[in-house]
Amino acid sequence: MSVVLTQSPALAPLFARGALLSPFKRPRPDAAFPHDRLVLPALRIDLARLAAYERVCGFTTGDDALPVTYPHVLGFPLAMRLMSDRAFPLPLLGLVHTSVELTRHRALTATGEYELGVRIEGLAPHRRGTEASVVTLLRAGGEVVWESRSTYLARHRTSGAAGAGRPEHGPLPALAQWRLAGDLGRRYGAASGDRNPIHLHPLTARLFGFPRAVAHGMWTVARCLAAHGTPEAVRARAEFRAPVLLPGTVTYAAGGGRFEVRGGDGRVQVTGAVYPG
């Protein structure tokens, strides 16, 4: 069933509701989940917010174009409304964004009008718990012009057998070092609306087991794609392997259509690939 919204939901109440309900969730891959599709019709882009996003992520500003990752930002509040719902079986607290795959079918203008739709596609077993897939579609004139699938993991005890191994490749050539300021999470949060406490301050991050604030995974992907460049029609995929701590210095590496971010110890934190659409 499609549920039509009149405006994008506010994220702060959704974070609060999800946090309050988390202790009562019992995640498992065969659990029931909401099947509603949330729809936001006649969507217009806030150009000031878009410019702030472009600046913090390294995209060119001032063009009448949407960065390839920006529709994810538009869809995130709808995804949060679904995942903070009482009927969603995975606890919002501790939910880990594990991967994102996005496809842009053609160039998108910043001044266009769109229909945004978000739904939970399903649950699946993972060797560390249960993973939910969230699908986002952006339409213009009835045509799907952008789509994505994100996976979110709730960790719990399992047999450890589910989940495929990751394909490995040799180290990619380093192209740049990025020094990430301690306030990066707050700046990205202001531009994107995603003010999850693990990204904002060392004190709030420690409440969730992190020694320092953690960079948003979607900031890291956006920064990589801004550096890599993307054709108008493109498919990109990224996996989040380890947290990027703030402040810190990371290495951006790329080659052969692949990219990755490595920490100071050489550990791969984010890996991905870009394909012509």
Side-chain angles (χ1 to χ4, degrees):
M1 182 180 73
S2 292
V3 177
V4 178
L5 307 180
T6 57
Q7 61 184 4
S8 186
L11 279 169
L14 298 179
F15 276 123
R17 181 176 70 176
L20 289 172
L21 292 174
S22 287
F24 305 100
K25 300 297 181 77
R26 298 294 180 265
R28 65 182 196 276
D30 60 346
F33 61 89
H35 286 81
D36 288 342
R37 175 177 174 262
L38 301 184
V39 179
L40 191 61
L43 174 67
R44 290 282 187 175
I45 309 301
D46 182 329
L47 297 181
R49 183 180 171 192
L50 172 62
Y53 175 88
E54 290 170 332
R55 285 192 294 270
V56 76
C57 295
F59 290 106
T60 301
T61 60
D63 294 338
D64 184 18
L66 287 185
V68 65
T69 49
Y70 196 66
H72 176 90
V73 172
L74 300 174
F76 186 66
L78 281 67
M80 279 293 299
R81 175 165 161 171
L82 291 171
M83 292 191 292
S84 63
D85 191 90
R86 186 179 300 274
F88 183 67
L90 308 187
L92 193 63
L93 286 182
L95 203 62
V96 179
H97 195 183
T98 50
S99 75
V100 62
E101 182 172 338
L102 54 87
T103 302
R104 182 174 62 192
H105 297 286
R106 62 171 172 82
L108 307 177
T109 62
T111 53
E113 182 176 282
Y114 301 98
E115 178 192 276
L116 181 69
V118 179
R119 64 183 172 86
I120 298 169
E121 185 177 60
L123 306 179
H126 185 280
R127 60 190 175 86
R128 293 184 177 176
T130 297
E131 207 166 49
S133 294
V134 177
V135 171
T136 302
L137 298 179
L138 195 70
R139 288 184 167 89
E143 173 192 3
V144 175
V145 293
W146 184 98
E147 57 190 297
S148 76
R149 176 177 285 100
S150 281
T151 57
Y152 297 89
L153 172 66
R155 296 179 180 177
H156 57 84
R157 185 172 296 178
T158 71
S159 64
R166 295 168 172 151
E168 297 295 335
H169 55 75
L172 298 174
L175 300 183
Q177 277 199 330
W178 296 336
R179 297 182 184 278
L180 311 183
D183 68 345
L184 175 60
R186 295 189 290 277
R187 289 189 288 118
Y188 181 83
S192 68
D194 183 355
R195 293 183 171 89
N196 187 319
I198 68 171
H199 304 303
L200 303 182
H201 194 277
L203 292 177
T204 52
R206 288 189 195 113
L207 295 175
F208 296 92
F210 297 99
R212 304 197 300 278
V214 178
H216 293 72
M218 286 306 299
W219 173 86
T220 314
V221 172
R223 184 68 186 89
C224 288
L225 293 178
H228 187 283
T230 55
E232 289 187 357
V234 64
R235 181 169 64 91
R237 176 173 174 82
E239 293 184 3
F240 307 108
R241 296 193 177 188
V244 176
L245 299 178
L246 303 172
T249 300
V250 298
T251 297
Y252 166 69
R258 299 193 306 269
F259 63 85
E260 64 187 20
V261 171
R262 300 193 291 260
D265 59 358
R267 184 183 185 189
V268 175
Q269 297 162 314
V270 177
T271 183
V274 177
Y275 313 93

